[in-house]
Each structure stands twice: as structure tokens, then as C-alpha cells.
């Protein structure tokens, strides 16, 4: 099994997104380096719009993550409610 | 009054369909193949362009919205940085030399990519691919501009940045990135996508932007980290384009596999060689270090690339031919590249230096199998010589690899004490290479690479002197004439950091505090 | 032609002999990687091979502490990676060296700074 990852700029916009990802993906791990937070997860990682909305208390358009996204790996599938990274097909 | 009903917007998937399908047309009074001459001749067969899908499903309206927000954030930081004399907050003035290399060698590639994607976007007949190429073309122009704007603040205070565009077309080591991109741009649009979107953006670009930008943050360079991560936020979209395009091409026709495999072999290796300079920036040019090149290679290339090629195996794609040699090189290339610029720093408009004692220790710890054995002794020797006023400069021009155009500094795989020499003949002329892979790239397309503008050979042909120079007059100094042609300010832009104006100025601005440099 | 192109175009090799005032010779010193790469020199074909050692190599490699220690009687040469026994009295051309040939020399007993092959 291979890891997928997603990384964000380490700032206040990203914090609730990172927290939501960690809550929704129990096997995911966040690694911090200067200015950057990288989340690794075995095989698959999901970003849920609803979890982020609960976290920040407002509507959230998943494409807002583009503002602070730094890099990612794996195949991507995105719709209005979630963004999935995986090595599955 | 009726309650205001919120107008329902289309969902992401139908919106993407609406914005990227049926926007094209079939030409009527001109042949399609004449209007789109480039989308078949490479031999790639596409049967159904509608299968192309951008996984992010980004549409132009959303694109402008988010890019606008990114720009506002970035320029607020750039302004604040300049207003607050941010250049004084960096770890030490040596750090700026990494920015010099960036504006000299990386930013012009952004501009090349802007042109390349504009060209590719124009020539694909599928709308999804055209929209994605168009966005990337605009992104790359934005990257060039934001980098020029950010680094212009440093240009007010430091040497080595004032002629970066002029240098890109002339200075010896900048022919490495320049020829890399010109090679890609002179391929067809499909090869360009495999070269830049897949091999470079997807497989290798993390190594350029992620650990290096984290390093910029660690060295107090708020403006660079901001442009870097702002660019990288586009980069994740580019990487997605890279993996999408390769899946799309491979799924369209089994005959595409062999063509794509050869391009992957070629462009992985070309990209890897290009990154030698990044390896050196990371290990030697960041006074405060985040991770070694080797660690970054393991994190972003080995584990991620490993997962990728495992996944692509279902199409019959194998890892690039140079993969194992590239992995073996992780213990060496940063040291070899730094030694090269240390050798030829008289002809390079940025500064080099010998690592100080603490840095030598860090390098020894990060490279336990190689640094102390092969590289530390020469750097210690350089330091001692410099203390005695005999700073070593190599005064003879180097032999270059015909393909990557890098001086022949790389070792024979498995034998770090020997240079790797490869050669072949083509139409009665000998050609030389740094590796099996650069040689194979040449022998696959010799007609392309016999045209290479190799800086050392161009100097010897007399093409790198200012106009009107007479090399036959007595006392003619060819090196001085070349530097004059380069428009390098001798004594300001070049030579060792220890003896530089940058160092002296920075010390004065900081009230006389001395940074830890050797000697 | 191996190139995939839409139309033919003239291919002009940039580095043929006629473009240089003298043939290029590449020279490397094995086990001395302080000099990061082999060097490239335009050398007239009539240059005696002995002049390489007596007049040219010192200017290229003299900064290395091993250079003064070389016992030239024990030096061996390679041309394109194969053993090569030049006649010092003959010219480069007479020794079979042409444009863009690569030669390397080995200096037995000398292994670079601190034995690091640099």
C-alpha cells in the first residue's frame, strides 16, 4: 500500500481544514515544517465539506482549498461535497 | 412578499461539463489538420477527447476568482516586506545567493512554460485539454511576474540579480535550464505535456518548491516563501494535469504506451539533471536548513514516485530507465554541483563559499556514507588555501555533456571517485555524455542535439565576446572578454562570498554583526 | 532521420572541426576531482604531445598539491577509456588525437587531497 499526501501553507485559513482532515481520516498524520503542514495517509484521504463547515461555522466551497494548497499526490476526485485522494482505481 | 428563493447553482460536475464541452467547432472552409497541424504528427492517437476530465473540475470563472484572491494575499506580503526592510531579517546574506539562482535560472523557465502551454493549448483539438493548458499558461506568466516583483526588492540591495534575463541567454550554467525547456518546447504538444506536466511537475516539482520554500521560511524570507507557496498552490493543479494527461493518453490507444514510455525515460532524466542545482541550493545555500536534498529526494521522489509508477504499471508503464541511477545520486549530486560553482565562481554572477564547521558537521551527519569520505577534504583544503589568500578558482573551461549541457562532473554509478565518461560518433563527429541516459537521449534524436549551443564551445568559436572584439590583439584576455559579454560586474557579482560587497554591506546594515562564514 | 517533424529542415551540427581555430581536446586527471570536471582546450594539431605535460597541464592543474609530486615516468594515459601510449616527441595528430577526443591520465600513488580522490 502507498501513501497519498496533501500539504497546505501553515496558516489560520488552513488550520480548520487540517483539523477536519485529521478528524475524518483516523490513519492520517500531519507533519509540520516551517510554513508548511503535510498530511500523509495510507492509500486514501478524504476532505469533507461538511466537516470543514462545522469547524468554521460558515458555508465553505471546497475549491477554496486551492488558496492554501501546496501539493498533493494520488488520483483526485472532487465534487461539491468531497475531495478524495487515492491510489485506488 | 414572497421569500427570496436562492437560485440553485449547477453542481461542480455539470458546471464543469457546461464550461468545457461543446465550446469548440469543426472548421468548414479549412481542413482541420491544417488549422491544428501539431496534434497528430507525434504519433499519439486520440479517439475521444471528451474522456479528458480535470479532476478538480476548475472552470474559468472560479479560476479568476481564486487567482485574484491569491494575488491580493501575495502582494500584501510583498508590500509589507519591502516597507519593513524585510531583507534585513534574513538569516545571513549568503542566503540571497539562492534567490539569485532562482531569478536567473528558475523564473525564466516559468516564462518558457507560459509560452509552451499557450502553444500546446492552441494546438490540442480537445477542449478540456485546451482549457487546462490555458489556465496553466496564465499561471506560469503569473509565476514569472510575482517572482520578478518579489525579488526586485532584493535587487535594490544585493548584487547578482540586475541582468538576469540577459544572463539566461548567455551565461554558461544557465544554458542548462534554457536548453532543457527549449528541448521541451520544440517537441510536439504531447511530448511537451509528458515533459513538463508529468515528468517535471508531477514527479519532480515538489523537490523544487516544497522543501526549498520551507527553507525560505526558516531563513526569514517571508516574501519568497509567499510567492513560492502561492506558485505551488497552482502547481498542485499542474501536477493533477500531469497525471490526468498521462492516464488519458495511455487509455486512448495501446500504441501510445511505447511513445510515452520513451518520453518518460527522457524527461525524467533531463528533469533530474536540471535539479542538481536545486540539490545544491538546499544543502549549501540555506544558512538554516530544513532537510537535506537526500531526505527530500526520499520523501518526494522515492516514496511518491514509487507509488506513482506502481500505479502506472497497469498500463504497461515501468519506472524511468534512469530511476536507479538517480536514486544512487542522492548522496552525491549536491556536493558535486557546489564544487562546480566553487571552481568556476569567477564566471558566475552569484557567490559561493566553503561550508563553516557547523555546516560541515551537518553535511557529515546527513550524508554519513559519502560526505566525509569524498567531499569534506576538498572543502577543507579550499578553506585553508583561502585563508592564505589563495582562493582556488579553476581557470580552464570544462568539458560539457552534449545533452544536459552540465560540466562532466557526475560520477560513474557505483564509483564516486571516478567521472562517468560516455561517447558516441555521429556523422564523423564525436559527442560526449555524463551518463548512459544522456547518451541514450542523444542517440534517439541525434539531429536535435548536434545543434546544441554549448557555452564552452561557443566561447572557443569566438561567439561570446562583445561585438567588435579582436581576439588577435596582443594581451587579449578571453575570460575578461567573456565576462564583458555576459555583462557581469567583475568583483561585485562574482567571486567568493567572503570577499564580497554583499557581505560587507549586510554587515554594515546589521550594525557590524558578523555572520558565521568560512574562512 | 530520427527526428519526428512535420517537415524537413536543415540540421546544422554546431561543433564541427571547421568552426574552431584549433581542434578541441578534452583532458581529465583521474582521482583528482577537486577539478570538478575534465577540461576542454583548443590545441593545434601540431602541438607535440610532450608539450602537454611540459607546458599546458601545469597551467590547468598546478593548483593541486599533488601536481608537483607527479612522477611523469609512471603516468599512464587513456583515450576514450582505452589504454593509450602517446609518443612524447610526436604531435597530437601524429599520436592519433583528433577533434573532440578525450584523454585521461592516471598518476599512480597520488589519490587526491587526504586520499579522497579529489
Amino acid at each position: 500500500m502507498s501513501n497519498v499526501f496533501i500539504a497546505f501553507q501553515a496558516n489560520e485559513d488552513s488550520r480548520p481544514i487540517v483539523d477536519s482532515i485529521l478528524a475524518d481520516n483516523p490513519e492520517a498524520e500531519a507533519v509540520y515544517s516551517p510554513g508548511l503542514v503535510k498530511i500523509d495517509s495510507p492509500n486514501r484521504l478524504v476532505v469533507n465539506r461538511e466537516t470543514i463547515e462545522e469547524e468554521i461555522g460558515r458555508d465553505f466551497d471546497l475549491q477554496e482549498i486551492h488558496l492554501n494548497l501546496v501539493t498533493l499526490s494520488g488520483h483526485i476526485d472532487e465534487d461539491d461535497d468531497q475531495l478524495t485522494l487515492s491510489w485506488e482505481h | 412578499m414572497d421569500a427570496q428563493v436562492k437560485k440553485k447553482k449547477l453542481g461542480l460536475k455539470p458546471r464543469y461539463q457546461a464550461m468545457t464541452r461543446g465550446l469548440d467547432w469543426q472548421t468548414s472552409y479549412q481542413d482541420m489538420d491544417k488549422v491544428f497541424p501539431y496534434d497528430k504528427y507525434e504519433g499519439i492517437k486520440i479517439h475521444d477527447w471528451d474522456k479528458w476530465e480535470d479532476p478538480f473540475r476548475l472552470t474559468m470563472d472560479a479560476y479568476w476568482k481564486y487567482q485574484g484572491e491569491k494575488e491580493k494575499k501575495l502582494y500584501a506580503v510583498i508590500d509589507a516586506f519591502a516597507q519593513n526592510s524585510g531583507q534585513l531579517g534574513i538569516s545571513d546574506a549568503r542566503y540571497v545567493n539562492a534567490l539569485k539562482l532562482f531569478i536567473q535560472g528558475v523564473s525564466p523557465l516559468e516564462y518558457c512554460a507560459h509560452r509552451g502551454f499557450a502553444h500546446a493549448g492552441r494546438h490540442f483539438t480537445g477542449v478540456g485539454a485546451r482549457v487546462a493548458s490555458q489556465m496553466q499558461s496564465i499561471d506560469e506568466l503569473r509565476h514569472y511576474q510575482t517572482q520578478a516583483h518579489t525579488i526586485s526588492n532584493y535587487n535594490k540591495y544585493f548584487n547578482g540579480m540586475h541582468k538576469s534575463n540577459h544572463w539566461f541567454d548567455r551565461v554558461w550554467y544557465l544554458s542548462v535550464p534554457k536548453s532543457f525547456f527549449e528541448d521541451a518546447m520544440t517537441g510536439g504538444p504531447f511530448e511537451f505535456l509528458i515533459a513538463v506536466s508529468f515528468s517535471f511537475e508531477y514527479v519532480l516539482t515538489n523537490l523544487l518548491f516544497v522543501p526549498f520554500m520551507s527553507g525560505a521560511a526558516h531563513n526569514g524570507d517571508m516574501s519568497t516563501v509567499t510567492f513560492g507557496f502561492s506558485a505551488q498552490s497552482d502547481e498542485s493543479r499542474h501536477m493533477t494535469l500531469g497525471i490526468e494527461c498521462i492516464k488519458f493518453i495511455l487509455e486512448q490507444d495501446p500504441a501510445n504506451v511505447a511513445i510515452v514510455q520513451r518520453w518518460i525515460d527522457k524527461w525524467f532524466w533531463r528533469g533530474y539533471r536540471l535539479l542538481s542545482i536545486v540539490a545544491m541550493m538546499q544543502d549549501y545555500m540555506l544558512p538554516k536548513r530544513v532537510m537535506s536534498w537526500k531526505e527530500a529526494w526520499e520523501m518526494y521522489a522515492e516514496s511518491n514516485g514509487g507509488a506513482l509508477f506502481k500505479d502506472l504499471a497497469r498500463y504497461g508503464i515501468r519506472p524511468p530507465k534512469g530511476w536507479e541511477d538517480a536514486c544512487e545520486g542522492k548522496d552525491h549530486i549536491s556536493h558535486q554541483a557546489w564544487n562546480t560553482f566553487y571552481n568556476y565562481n569567477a564566471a558566475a554572477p552569484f557567490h559561493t563559499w566553503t561550508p563553516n564547521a557547523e555546516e560541515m558537521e551537518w553535511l557529515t551527519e546527513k550524508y554519513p556514507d559519502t560526505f566525509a569520505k569524498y567531499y569534506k577534504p576538498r572543502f577543507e583544503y579550499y578553506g585553508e588555501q583561502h585563508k592564505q589568500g589563495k582562493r582556488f578558482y579553476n581557470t580552464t573551461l570544462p568539458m560539457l555533456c552534449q545533452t544536459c549541457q552540465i560540466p562532466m562532473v557526475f560520477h560513474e554509478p557505483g564509483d564516486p571517485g571516478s567521472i562517468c565518461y560516455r561517447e558516441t560518433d555521429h556523422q564523423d563527429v564525436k559527442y560526449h555524455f555524463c551518463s548512459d541516459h544522456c547518451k541514450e537521449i542523444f542517440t534517439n534524436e541525434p539531429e536535435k542535439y548536434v545543434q546544441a549551443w554549448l557555452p564552452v564551445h561557443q566561447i572557443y568559436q569566438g561567439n561570446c565576446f562583445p561585438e567588435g572584439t579582436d581576439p588577435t590583439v596582443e594581451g587579449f584576455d578571453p575570460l575578461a572578454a567573456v565576462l564583458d559579454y555576459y555583462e557581469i560586474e567583475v568583483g561585485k557579482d562574482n567571486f567568493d562570498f567572503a570577499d564580497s560587497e554583499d557581505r560587507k554591506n549586510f554587515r554594515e546594515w546589521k550594525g557590524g554583526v558578523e555572520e558565521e562564514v568560512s574562512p | 532521420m530520427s527526428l519526428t517533424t512535420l517537415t524537413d529542415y536543415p540540421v546544422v551540427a554546431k561543433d564541427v572541426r571547421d568552426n574552431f581555430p584549433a581542434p578541441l581536446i578534452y583532458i581529465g586527471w583521474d582521482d583528482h576531482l577537486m577539478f570538478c570536471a575534465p577540461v576542454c582546450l583548443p590545441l593545434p594539431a601540431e602541438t607535440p604531445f610532450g608539450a602537454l605535460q611540459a607546458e599546458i597541464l601545469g597551467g590547468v592543474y598546478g593548483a593541486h598539491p599533488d601536481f608537483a609530486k607527479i612522477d611523469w615516468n609512471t603516468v599512464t594515459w587513456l583515450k576514450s577509456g582505452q589504454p593509450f601510449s602517446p609518443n612524447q616527441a610526436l604531435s597530437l595528430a601524429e599520436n592519433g588525437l583528433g577533434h573532440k577526443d578525450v584523454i585521461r591520465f592516471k598518476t599512480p600513488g597520488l589519490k587526491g587531497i587526504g586520499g579522497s580522490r579529489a
Side-chain angles (χ1 to χ4, degrees):
Chain A
M1 192 178 316
S2 309
N3 274 347
V4 294
F5 65 76
I6 190 164
F8 298 94
Q9 293 188 50
N11 60 27
E12 282 304 297
D13 289 340
S14 304
R15 198 164 51 85
I17 301 172
V18 171
D19 289 347
S20 305
I21 294 172
L22 294 176
D24 288 342
N25 300 273
E27 288 186 283
E29 271 180 51
V31 182
Y32 290 84
S33 53
L36 181 80
V37 48
K38 175 171 180 270
I39 306 169
D40 294 298
S41 180
N43 214 33
R44 187 180 157 84
L45 181 147
V46 186
V47 186
N48 286 312
R49 179 179 54 80
E50 270 191 357
T51 318
I52 297 172
E53 288 182 343
E54 276 166 30
E55 195 79 26
I56 61 178
R58 66 165 173 88
D59 288 348
F60 184 80
D61 183 333
L62 261 188
Q63 291 195 327
E64 285 180 51
I65 69 164
H66 281 287
L67 293 173
N68 294 293
L69 184 60
V70 173
T71 181
L72 42 72
S73 74
H75 300 300
I76 298 155
D77 189 35
E78 183 175 358
D79 62 23
D80 295 280
D81 299 320
Q82 59 177 215
L83 178 132
T84 311
L85 298 176
S86 76
W87 286 118
E88 296 154 6
H89 37 79
Chain B
M1 206 157 63
D2 292 338
Q4 193 87 27
V5 178
K6 207 174 164 189
K7 207 172 155 196
K8 197 161 166 29
K9 276 172 62 181
L10 280 179
L12 191 58
K13 286 180 180 175
R15 191 163 76 240
Y16 177 76
Q17 287 292 323
M19 299 285 278
T20 59
R21 295 295 184 267
L23 299 174
D24 54 339
W25 62 87
Q26 296 290 311
T27 55
S28 53
Y29 57 88
Q30 279 291 345
D31 188 6
M32 275 296 274
D33 285 342
K34 273 193 192 161
V35 180
F36 295 94
Y38 296 122
D39 90 335
K40 289 201 181 94
Y41 84 100
E42 294 172 274
I44 294 291
K45 294 189 177 70
I46 303 298
H47 305 290
D48 182 6
W49 275 107
D50 275 346
K51 290 271 175 3
W52 179 289
E53 188 110 350
D54 167 11
F56 280 134
R57 302 191 172 87
L58 195 65
T59 52
M60 278 319 283
D61 55 333
Y63 173 79
W64 291 123
K65 180 179 151 197
Y66 291 120
Q67 295 305 91
E69 282 188 44
K70 287 182 193 174
E71 292 284 88
K72 279 185 210 150
K73 266 180 77 172
L74 171 60
Y75 279 88
V77 173
I78 293 175
D79 280 349
F81 188 81
Q83 282 166 0
N84 291 291
S85 299
Q87 73 280 357
L88 297 178
I90 55 171
S91 52
D92 80 50
R94 291 181 302 167
Y95 167 76
V96 179
N97 292 288
L99 297 181
K100 296 177 190 179
L101 268 177
F102 208 97
I103 194 74
Q104 294 169 8
V106 178
S107 303
L109 296 186
E110 307 272 17
Y111 193 77
C112 292
H114 155 65
R115 292 177 57 204
F117 279 100
H119 176 76
R122 161 65 182 80
H123 287 287
F124 286 127
T125 43
V127 187
R130 299 184 69 155
V131 170
S133 295
Q134 179 189 8
M135 285 178 192
Q136 184 159 353
S137 178
I138 300 165
D139 288 340
E140 304 288 2
L141 182 60
R142 169 178 113 83
H143 296 176
Y144 178 77
Q145 289 172 340
T146 54
Q147 287 161 25
H149 290 153
T150 307
I151 292 177
S152 70
N153 184 60
Y154 286 97
N155 179 45
K156 294 176 191 164
Y157 302 99
F158 297 92
N159 294 317
M161 289 171 268
H162 55 97
K163 287 273 162 55
S164 53
N165 286 330
H166 180 85
W167 293 334
F168 187 66
D169 294 327
R170 290 166 183 77
V171 175
W172 57 280
Y173 58 92
L174 296 173
S175 84
V176 175
K178 182 181 163 78
S179 61
F180 170 90
F181 232 97
E182 289 181 348
D183 190 353
M185 288 163 81
T186 49
F190 287 105
E191 181 175 355
F192 183 79
L193 244 60
I194 298 298
V196 179
S197 299
F198 179 74
S199 304
F200 198 70
E201 302 270 8
Y202 194 84
V203 184
L204 297 170
T205 197
N206 276 323
L207 287 156
L208 171 59
F209 274 102
V210 185
F212 181 73
M213 292 307 162
S214 203
H218 205 36
N219 283 277
D221 184 2
M222 185 172 66
S223 59
T224 298
V225 70
T226 309
F227 89 61
F229 283 151
S230 188
Q232 189 65 30
S233 66
D234 299 340
E235 228 59 63
S236 49
R237 186 155 31 74
H238 303 169
M239 291 163 63
T240 307
L241 172 61
I243 192 154
E244 178 56 27
C245 82
I246 198 157
K247 283 195 312 191
F248 170 74
I249 296 171
L250 294 172
E251 282 170 9
Q252 283 292 311
D253 197 291
N256 293 341
V257 175
I259 301 175
V260 168
Q261 181 71 58
R262 183 160 74 82
W263 287 339
I264 292 175
D265 289 342
K266 169 180 173 181
W267 287 102
F268 167 75
W269 189 255
R270 294 225 60 191
Y272 166 70
R273 277 292 186 242
L274 179 62
L275 287 187
S276 308
I277 217 169
V278 179
M280 150 188 125
M281 285 159 82
Q282 213 173 307
D283 281 346
Y284 286 86
M285 302 182 82
L286 298 176
K288 287 175 151 182
R289 290 159 304 272
V290 176
M291 63 168 72
S292 66
W293 166 258
K294 182 182 177 179
E295 289 166 322
W297 179 264
E298 286 166 355
M299 176 181 294
Y300 288 107
E302 284 182 14
S303 62
N304 193 36
L308 170 68
F309 286 107
K310 211 164 80 185
D311 180 69
L312 292 176
R314 68 196 149 110
Y315 298 111
I317 291 289
R318 52 158 175 73
K321 275 186 184 168
W323 184 263
E324 277 174 30
D325 285 341
C327 292
E328 196 243 10
K330 71 189 172 191
D331 273 312
H332 300 281
I333 59 167
S334 65
H335 319 301
Q336 290 163 345
W338 186 244
N339 187 44
T340 307
F341 286 103
Y342 192 92
N343 267 237
Y344 292 110
N345 204 174
F350 68 93
H351 303 302
T352 59
W353 53 88
T354 45
N356 64 31
E358 179 263 323
E359 289 159 352
M360 292 274 206
E361 213 171 284
W362 182 84
L363 288 162
T364 306
E365 182 200 315
K366 293 294 179 186
Y367 294 93
D369 301 330
T370 54
F371 184 73
K373 189 171 175 194
Y374 295 106
Y375 302 105
K376 192 178 175 193
R378 75 184 80 160
F379 292 133
E380 284 176 339
Y381 179 75
Y382 294 157
E384 287 158 21
Q385 291 291 299
H386 197 173
K387 270 189 202 135
Q388 299 167 32
K390 293 186 287 187
R391 203 283 191 189
F392 168 60
Y393 291 105
N394 191 334
T395 52
T396 317
L397 302 183
M399 176 183 186
L400 307 180
C401 171
Q402 186 74 26
T403 303
C404 69
Q405 307 199 2
I406 298 175
M408 298 263 297
V409 302
F410 298 108
H411 66 280
E412 181 71 46
D415 181 10
S418 294
I419 297 282
C420 180
Y421 294 85
R422 298 289 184 273
E423 64 177 65
T424 191
D425 289 296
H426 181 72
Q427 295 183 337
D428 300 325
V429 183
K430 275 203 160 58
Y431 294 93
H432 299 272
F433 311 94
C434 68
S435 56
D436 290 328
H437 313 293
C438 275
K439 180 180 169 179
E440 185 170 329
I441 292 166
F442 177 95
T443 50
N444 280 336
E445 294 176 291
E447 291 89 351
K448 190 165 198 180
Y449 299 98
V450 299
Q451 304 176 65
W453 194 94
L454 294 186
V456 168
H457 296 174
Q458 289 300 310
I459 290 171
Y460 284 138
Q461 288 181 26
N463 297 331
C464 299
F465 304 136
E467 229 176 285
T469 300
D470 177 6
T472 60
V473 295
E474 215 186 313
F476 174 69
D477 178 348
L479 179 63
V482 170
L483 295 181
D484 201 14
Y485 165 81
Y486 286 173
E487 299 183 15
I488 286 177
E489 288 193 43
V490 175
K492 287 179 182 246
D493 293 325
N494 58 348
F495 298 138
D496 198 290
F497 176 76
D499 312 322
S500 70
E501 193 176 63
D502 277 5
R503 182 194 188 187
K504 184 170 152 285
N505 287 340
F506 195 72
R507 189 164 41 192
E508 278 170 20
W509 298 331
K510 298 284 281 182
V513 182
E514 177 64 293
E515 67 289 328
E516 289 224 1
V517 296
S518 290
Chain C
M1 190 150 98
S2 67
L3 279 182
T4 308
T5 58
L6 268 182
T7 52
D8 279 342
Y9 68 94
V11 171
V12 180
K14 272 233 177 356
D15 294 328
V16 295
R17 166 66 190 90
D18 286 351
N19 293 349
F20 295 87
L24 298 183
I25 302 291
Y26 304 108
I27 304 170
W29 182 9
D30 279 11
D31 292 329
H32 290 81
L33 300 186
M34 172 177 132
F35 300 93
C36 60
V39 297
C40 172
L41 287 169
L43 294 175
E46 61 275 15
T47 311
F49 196 93
L52 254 192
Q53 169 192 325
E55 294 160 30
I56 295 166
L57 293 182
V60 176
Y61 291 116
H64 198 291
D66 276 356
F67 190 79
K69 299 180 203 158
I70 296 174
D71 174 359
W72 289 96
N73 296 316
T74 64
V75 167
T76 57
W77 290 87
L78 298 173
K79 180 191 167 199
S80 292
Q82 300 303 312
F84 170 59
S85 308
N87 182 327
Q88 301 286 326
L90 298 180
S91 70
L92 298 179
E94 287 161 341
N95 272 296
L97 293 177
H99 182 52
K100 297 182 78 187
D101 268 333
V102 60
I103 54 175
R104 297 150 59 182
F105 62 109
K106 288 180 183 292
T107 49
L110 300 176
K111 287 287 171 193
I113 297 156
S116 69
R117 304 177 71 185

